[in-house]
Amino acid sequence: MQIVVAVTYSWTVFREPLAQYHGWSKAQTIMPYRYSLLAVALGTVIGGLWQDRRGARIVASAGGILVGIGFIISAIYGTSVAGLVIGWGIVAGLGAGFVYVTPIANLVKWFPDKRGMMVGLAVMGAGISPLFWSPLIERLIGKNPAQFQETIPHAFEVMTLIFVVCVVGAAQLYRVPSQGWTPPGLPLEAHKAQGMEISAAQMLATWQFYALWGIFLLGAAVGLIAIGQVSPLFQEFTTAAPISAGVALGIMGICNGSGRLGWGALSDRIGRKATLVAMNLVSIIVCLGFLRSIRGFWDLIVGLCLAAFVYGGFLSLMPALSADYFGKVNVGGNYGLLFSAWGISGFLAPGYFESALDRAREAGALVAGYRDVYAKLAVFAAIAAILGILLRRPRSDARA
């Protein structure tokens, strides 16, 4: 389910064919991606609260159908930016949010003693999603601009079929543990250490929620921008690259997925705070050491893969931290609210930085434009690291 639902990460494959076919700017071709991230975040909030009350199966099934409707809208009205924003961005994005939150919330309830590793294992599917989707979309669209009028809508139609069958089918396998269930053999001390049970309203009254929200907003921006820029970066900074942008996105998907499992499992061993700080330090190195001054193919691919590796960690640590700090009973709704930081980051950051890069292209100062982008992203990561150092669990009176 996660492999299929994370198709958003493969939007970059559509960008160049749409630019060639319609003459759209980089800022225009990134717009459906931005709105999809915002809608996924909103769908995660709604779906999380819904699944806490009605269960994961109905929410994931509804989400799979909604994504299919969004792709059909994209196939019919995808000749305009507005059509793709509504279809791919809003409708499909909302459905994807419904789907995305359900396995995370379910696994936190089944494995309270291995939250980091199990959430990481689940969302690893989303991380490696481009390895499946990107080559498939490239093949469906093809390389002949004269055929884009037919191949782009056809790609959306094929994706609709895959999505509805796989996601709705997988949703029927969901089971939810009974209330109060704990894994056999879990020590009493470990059970007590799983954290308080805090409602969404109570969570919003804690400073820890806003600190985690800020860390997620700033930390995820590096990976979201890197993933969205793969295709333009390959065109502008590599000549005779040994792989295509779609293959590069697939490799990044492996790194993204590995980061989700690796950082999540590490956090179970050394603690969430230490892992969170380490991730942001790596992001600073990536921004300043590799992506701020691209000198060729290998600098580019290493920088992008490291950015994806760190980014994956946020998608496994944040659900685990949400359960650690606010409990597992309401984790669907609580993490959905926390996940809104990801959506707002994905909506604002790419739009701001892509517009800045468009201005740099027009001025003939593209290299300087990229340096400015990744210097600012390094500052984002530094602020997120500082917030991570300051984190503390909520006091018991947070429930009062």
Side-chain angles (χ1 to χ4, degrees):
M1 185 181 289
Q2 288 279 2
I3 288 173
V4 175
V5 77
V7 66
T8 296
Y9 293 131
S10 296
W11 174 255
T12 189
V13 180
F14 280 100
R15 293 185 66 189
E16 187 56 28
L18 288 170
Q20 290 183 30
Y21 180 47
H22 298 292
W24 292 344
S25 69
K26 294 292 191 297
Q28 287 176 303
T29 60
I30 199 68
M31 198 173 292
Y33 175 73
R34 294 173 56 207
Y35 276 91
S36 72
L37 298 182
L38 192 64
V40 167
L42 178 60
T44 301
V45 175
I46 298 171
L49 293 169
W50 186 12
Q51 75 93 41
D52 284 342
R53 291 163 174 76
R54 297 295 304 274
R57 189 182 306 168
I58 187 172
V59 178
S61 299
I65 294 170
L66 196 58
V67 174
I69 294 171
F71 286 168
I72 291 298
I73 293 173
S74 299
I76 297 173
Y77 299 104
T79 53
S80 70
V81 174
L84 289 173
V85 165
I86 293 170
W88 177 284
I90 297 174
V91 178
L94 193 65
F98 286 6
V99 177
Y100 177 77
V101 72
T102 54
I104 295 172
N106 222 26
L107 282 169
V108 164
K109 295 173 182 177
W110 279 109
F111 300 94
D113 54 332
K114 298 181 178 66
R115 287 171 179 161
M117 183 180 72
M118 295 311 297
V119 171
L121 186 62
V123 297
M124 182 176 69
I128 65 174
S129 175
L131 194 63
F132 165 72
W133 279 117
S134 299
L136 176 61
I137 295 170
E138 278 190 334
R139 184 177 181 85
L140 290 171
I141 294 176
K143 299 183 181 298
N144 185 355
Q147 297 179 342
F148 287 164
Q149 183 178 3
E150 297 177 359
T151 58
I152 293 176
H154 177 65
F156 288 124
E157 292 164 357
V158 172
M159 292 163 68
T160 300
L161 181 62
I162 293 172
F163 221 102
V164 173
V165 170
C166 293
V167 172
V168 177
Q172 309 317 306
L173 303 177
Y174 272 128
R175 299 291 184 273
V176 179
S178 58
Q179 188 172 2
W181 180 89
T182 57
L186 183 67
L188 181 60
E189 294 78 12
H191 175 61
K192 290 179 178 178
Q194 295 307 314
M196 300 176 293
E197 297 299 339
I198 296 177
S199 69
Q202 292 165 339
M203 178 187 69
L204 292 173
T206 67
W207 69 264
Q208 285 88 349
F209 169 77
Y210 298 99
L212 287 170
W213 196 92
I215 292 168
F216 208 175
L217 176 83
L218 298 171
V222 178
L224 286 168
I225 289 172
I227 291 169
Q229 286 182 342
V230 172
S231 184
L233 280 169
F234 262 67
Q235 295 165 36
E236 292 166 337
F237 287 97
T238 62
T239 55
I243 58 174
S244 68
V247 173
L249 198 61
I251 296 172
M252 286 179 68
I254 295 175
C255 296
N256 188 345
S258 300
R260 294 171 190 231
L261 179 58
W263 291 112
L266 181 65
S267 74
D268 286 335
R269 292 180 175 272
I270 70 171
R272 314 277 189 234
K273 280 182 57 174
T275 306
L276 200 58
V277 173
M279 286 163 43
N280 282 292
L281 291 177
V282 175
S283 282
I284 294 170
I285 294 170
V286 168
C287 290
L288 298 182
F290 290 94
L291 297 179
R292 188 167 181 265
S293 182
I294 301 168
R295 291 176 291 273
F297 170 77
W298 288 110
D299 262 6
L300 177 59
I301 197 68
V302 170
L304 290 174
C305 286
L306 283 174
F309 183 71
V310 173
Y311 168 74
F314 286 99
L315 278 301
S316 59
L317 255 67
M318 288 302 168
L321 278 163
S322 177
D324 289 348
Y325 282 21
F326 312 118
K328 65 180 182 179
V329 172
N330 301 305
V331 69
N334 288 348
Y335 178 59
L337 289 167
L338 181 58
F339 193 72
S340 65
W342 177 88
I344 292 175
S345 178
F347 181 76
L348 295 179
Y352 170 76
F353 288 118
E354 287 289 355
S355 296
L357 288 172
D358 274 345
R359 291 193 296 271
R361 286 184 187 94
E362 293 172 1
L366 187 57
V367 173
Y370 273 105
R371 286 178 178 171
D372 181 61
V373 165
Y374 285 102
K376 289 178 179 176
L377 289 174
V379 174
F380 283 11
I383 296 171
I386 293 169
L387 289 173
I389 293 171
L390 297 175
L391 276 177
R392 301 288 184 276
R393 283 178 180 269
R395 298 196 308 269
S396 59
D397 60 3
R399 293 176 292 183

